[in-house]
Amino acid sequence: MAGPPGAVIRTHALTKYYGTARGIVDVDLEVHAAETFGFLGQNGAGKSTTIRLLLDLIRPTSGSAEVLGLDAHRDRLAIDRRVAYLPGELALYGDLTGTQTLEYLGNLRGRPDRAYRAELVARLELDPSRPIKSLSRGNKQKVGLVAAFQDRPELLILDEPTSGLDPFVQLEFERLAGEARSDGRTVFISSHILPEVERMCDRVGIIREGRLVAVESIATLKARAVQRLEIDFAGPVDAAAFAGVENVREVSLTDGTLRCTVVGSVDGLLKRAAAREVVRIRTIETSLEEIFLAYYGEGEGEGAGHAAA
Amino acid sequence: MLLRSLFGKTLRDLRWPTFWAGAAVFLLAFYFTYAFPTYSSAFNLQELLDKIPPAMKALIGGQLMDVSTVNGFLNIELFPFMLPAILGGYAIAQGSGLTAGEESRGTIDVLLSYPVSRRSLVVQKAVAATLAVIVVAVAVWLGAVLGAGASNSAVDAGDIAAGLVLATLLALDVGALALAIAGWRGNRSGAAGIAAAVLVVSYFINALAPLIDTIDSIKQVSIFYWYLEGDPLRHGLALGDAAVLAAVAVVLFAAALVLFDRRNLAA
């Protein structure tokens, strides 16, 4: 693999404004070789802008980007021979069938491996004989996934790859991404779904309002994960008994139900609760916003310190 | 297999539109030359034409008023406006969509993530579209020559070809203009509209030049002037005129390459 080892994607103060509208601001991103990197952020946070800058589809206002050690703009052709991209809003040629689409795109890269393509088509249970215009969103997405994987690229850049996929296909996709990683290839996945990123990725970068606010290993992220819990007690309890418990925040108590937020381990809370009669525990799925709040809620400013992590 | 390359894919996209446009102009040209003897004998065309006021005459074909031959007849009926409108319109329709069509459909993201440079994309697509315009022009020639043969009319096929070479270059001028504007702004309908307006304004500048002195002094800016001034249907191909029209196409095409290469592509 060419380029400096360890940096498959590297951006320096990458900034993009659309007129006066903010795209991304001062993004310093580094993705290592052979890792699966999750790029997490809400819609409009700047995920697609970053990706389209990496692919030279749009040009930065300032800053620069390198892919595989090559300049994203100047060396685009050399990069595109080795990188596959699945756009967030995938559009294909409606009049071509799946097979024709995959043949055409494979030819553009110049080294179609039809046997491997057939294997991918079978694994994703895609019917490649139908014209693209007759396919559902999920089936079209399968064509895009086969197109991205069929050339066995060194780097896969996948923008919201699982949108529209049913659970079976999603699982198969996660296996494919896992195999790519085992082969030593790098996978860059953007997503707004935290559990998906947790399952697949080694590290995650969080982008918020155009700025990269944190880059963490999944293990660190999990340690800092925010959970919201509701505990119903049989008898009367005192909210004060739970204030000050390790990792527990935002405690409230109504009608024997305790509501609180836990950052990191829930051990302290459970041990304190166990002294009383617990009827039921509910966990409420953590939203991205809460993860961001966890980052911001500790007085770490803009979180720039995490970006270099 | 047309799906081997971007060039082949573009030819594939153009095959049916080009077939139908070619079939339509073949029938049109065939009709004119086949019906020429009937027109000629049913009306005394030359006499009618001589009665037309000069202003009107200018609009339908300048001073080229000779309907005693097939070439002279086509010089009035087909070549002054109808043919450039058809060929130019076809070139505009295709030229405006070569890049902007992929942008508006959103397929440009996938396409340009493959090792195809933006300049190569424009070249491959423009060459394919140029071939399509040439096919349509050849269909006109075939229709005219075969129609004349079917009605036993004398025709100078070489001079018709000369007229078609110039008409094709004129069409490529406006097609390249549409391509350049679409490459610059990414807006297909806007590019097509501006190019069509340039075609029409060009026509009127040349048509009104004999009547209005101020227009006459600027007639060289009209591509129609270079298309018609040598009277190609009767005097053959003037290489100088062809060179001017070709140069305009080359300059606009070069502009298209640069403008598309620099743009932020629509998401």
Side-chain angles (χ1 to χ4, degrees), chain B residues 123-215:
Chain B
V123 170
Q124 293 189 53
K125 282 183 170 267
V127 170
T130 299
L131 289 177
V133 175
I134 291 172
V135 166
V136 175
V138 168
V140 174
W141 184 84
L142 282 175
V145 171
L146 293 178
S151 64
N152 288 316
S153 310
V155 64
D156 189 326
D159 285 353
I160 290 179
L164 282 166
V165 166
L166 292 170
T168 301
L169 289 169
L170 177 114
L172 294 179
D173 287 349
V174 287
L177 177 64
L179 175 67
I181 297 170
W184 175 42
R185 305 299 293 176
N187 176 343
R188 179 176 190 170
S189 54
I194 292 169
V198 167
L199 184 70
V200 171
V201 169
S202 255
Y203 169 76
F204 276 106
I205 288 174
N206 187 58
L208 296 175
L211 307 175
I212 303 169
D213 286 345
T214 38
I215 292 182

Side-chain angles (χ1 to χ4, degrees), chain A residues 22 43 63 81 110 115 195 202 206 213 232 237 241 263 266 268 270 274 276 304:
Chain A
R22 182 270 305 158
N43 294 328
R81 286 190 193 99
D202 305 299
I206 298 177
V213 294
D232 296 347
V237 274
V263 179
V266 296
L270 287 186
R276 292 146 182 92

Side-chain angles (χ1 to χ4, degrees), chain B:
Chain B
M1 183 72 175
L2 289 173
L3 294 174
R4 283 246 171 86
S5 66
L6 176 55
F7 174 71
K9 167 74 164 59
T10 312
L11 285 182
R12 189 182 184 278
D13 293 342
L14 288 166
R15 66 200 158 150
W16 289 113
T18 304
F19 172 81
W20 290 115
V25 294
F26 175 87
L27 290 175
L28 185 73
F30 187 94
Y31 165 77
F32 275 126
T33 54
Y34 181 72
F36 168 70
T38 320
Y39 271 99
S40 225
S41 53
F43 313 100
N44 191 336
L45 281 175
Q46 193 66 55
E47 199 170 285
L48 281 174
L49 282 168
D50 291 341
K51 286 182 192 157
I52 295 173
M56 198 64 204
K57 239 182 200 177
L59 282 175
I60 60 170
Q63 289 74 37
L64 321 168
M65 289 300 169
D66 162 26
V67 286
S68 58
T69 64
V70 169
N71 283 46
F73 181 63
L74 291 178
N75 220 2
I76 291 166
E77 289 291 334
L78 187 60
F79 277 70
F81 188 72
M82 197 187 297
L83 179 71
I86 293 171
L87 276 184
Y90 190 67
I92 289 170
Q94 301 308 337
S96 63
L98 293 179
T99 60
E102 300 258 8
E103 277 192 74
S104 62
R105 282 196 303 268
T107 48
I108 199 84
D109 261 42
V110 169
L111 183 56
L112 285 180
S113 73
Y114 284 81
V116 177
S117 74
R118 291 197 193 183
R119 289 184 187 201
S120 166
L121 179 149
V122 173
V123 170
Q124 293 189 53
K125 282 183 170 267
V127 170
T130 299
L131 289 177
V133 175
I134 291 172
V135 166
V136 175
V138 168
V140 174
W141 184 84
L142 282 175
V145 171
L146 293 178
S151 64
N152 288 316
S153 310
V155 64
D156 189 326
D159 285 353
I160 290 179
L164 282 166
V165 166
L166 292 170
T168 301
L169 289 169
L170 177 114
L172 294 179
D173 287 349
V174 287
L177 177 64
L179 175 67
I181 297 170
W184 175 42
R185 305 299 293 176
N187 176 343
R188 179 176 190 170
S189 54
I194 292 169
V198 167
L199 184 70
V200 171
V201 169
S202 255
Y203 169 76
F204 276 106
I205 288 174
N206 187 58
L208 296 175
L211 307 175
I212 303 169
D213 286 345
T214 38
I215 292 182
D216 193 58
S217 62
I218 59 153
K219 66 186 175 191
Q220 281 90 348
V221 304
S222 163
I223 48 176
F224 270 83
Y225 170 78
W226 301 102
Y227 164 47
L228 290 173
E229 67 98 25
D231 197 359
L233 259 70
R234 291 188 300 181
H235 301 132
L237 186 63
L239 288 177
D241 295 345
V244 171
L245 292 174
V248 170
V250 167
V251 167
L252 290 171
F253 176 69
L257 282 181
V258 173
L259 292 168
F260 183 64
D261 205 30
R262 292 161 56 139
R263 270 232 355 280
N264 289 307
L265 298 176

Side-chain angles (χ1 to χ4, degrees), chain A residues 226-229 242-244 247-253 258-263 290 293-294 297:
Chain A
V226 178
Q227 300 177 71
R228 281 199 295 146
L229 293 172
F242 290 92
N247 295 345
V248 173
R249 292 175 198 169
E250 295 162 40
V251 179
S252 73
L253 190 71
L258 177 84
R259 292 186 181 79
C260 63
T261 302
V262 182
V263 179
E290 284 165 301
L293 284 175

